[in-house]
Amino acid sequence: MRLIFLGPPGAGKGTQAKLLTERYGIPQLSTGDMLRSAVAQGSEVGKRAKAVMDAGQLVSDEIVNEIVSDRIEAPDCAKGFILDGYPRTVPQAIALDRMLEQKGMKLDAVIELKVDEGALVRRMENRVAETVAAGGNVRSDDNPEAFRRRLEEYRAKTAPLSAHYAGTGQLKTVDGMADVDTVSAEIEKILA
Ligand code: AMP
C-alpha cells in the first residue's frame, strides 16, 4: 500500500498516517521528521535546512527528492509506505511520479484532508499547549508567525497538487474537520 497525504499544516496528516502504519504495517515517511532529525544530527543537509525550516519556508526540491528516493528503497518499505508532507510542490510531484516509475512502484491513493484554515491556528496553539503540558519539546517552527508563513507556502505551492492528482484520477478528498475516528473511518472506506 503506497499512499500520499495532502493537506495544510495542522490538518491531521501525521495523526492519520500513524494510525495507518499500525493497521497496514507500513512506515510513515514524514519529510518534516526526516529533516528535523538531520538538523538534530547537525548533518550537511540539516545545516542547510535549519534556517529555511525555522522561517516556515520550503527546503529545496532537490534535497527532499533525494531524501525520499533513498528512503523508499529501505527494506521496511517493501510492503509500502505513507508519505506525509511530501510531495509539497508540483515539481516534487513530477519528480515522485518519475522516481516511482523508475523503481517499478505505483501509488494506491492520494488522500487530501480538507480543513477550515481559520481553525488551524487554534489547532496549532492547542498542540503546542498539550506538548508543553506533557513536558515535551515544541517544534521551533510552531509559533503563530512561522505557522502563518507555512500556510502561505501551502496555498502558493502545495494546494496546486490537488489539481495535479485530480488529473491523474488518484485524488480522494476527506473532511479533515471531523474528529479523528470519523476521519480515520472515512479513509478506511476509501482504501477498502
Ligand atoms: P512538516 O513537519 O511537514 O510541517 O515540515 C516542517 C518543515 O520542513 C516545513 O515547513 C519545510 O520547511 C520542511 N519540509 C518538510 N517537507 C518538505 C517538502 N516536501 N519540501 C520542502 N520542505 C519540506
Side-chain angles (χ1 to χ4, degrees), residues 31-32 35-36 53 57-59 64 85-86 88 92 139 141 150:
T31 40
L35 289 165
R36 277 186 288 280
M53 291 172 74
Q57 292 171 336
L58 292 184
V59 173
V64 287
Y86 177 92
R88 216 130 153 167
Q92 285 179 21
R139 285 169 46 167
D141 59 354
R150 280 156 65 202

Side-chain angles (χ1 to χ4, degrees), residues 127-142:
R127 184 169 74 185
V128 169
E130 278 167 20
T131 307
V132 170
N137 289 326
V138 175
R139 285 169 46 167
S140 55
D141 59 354
D142 261 346

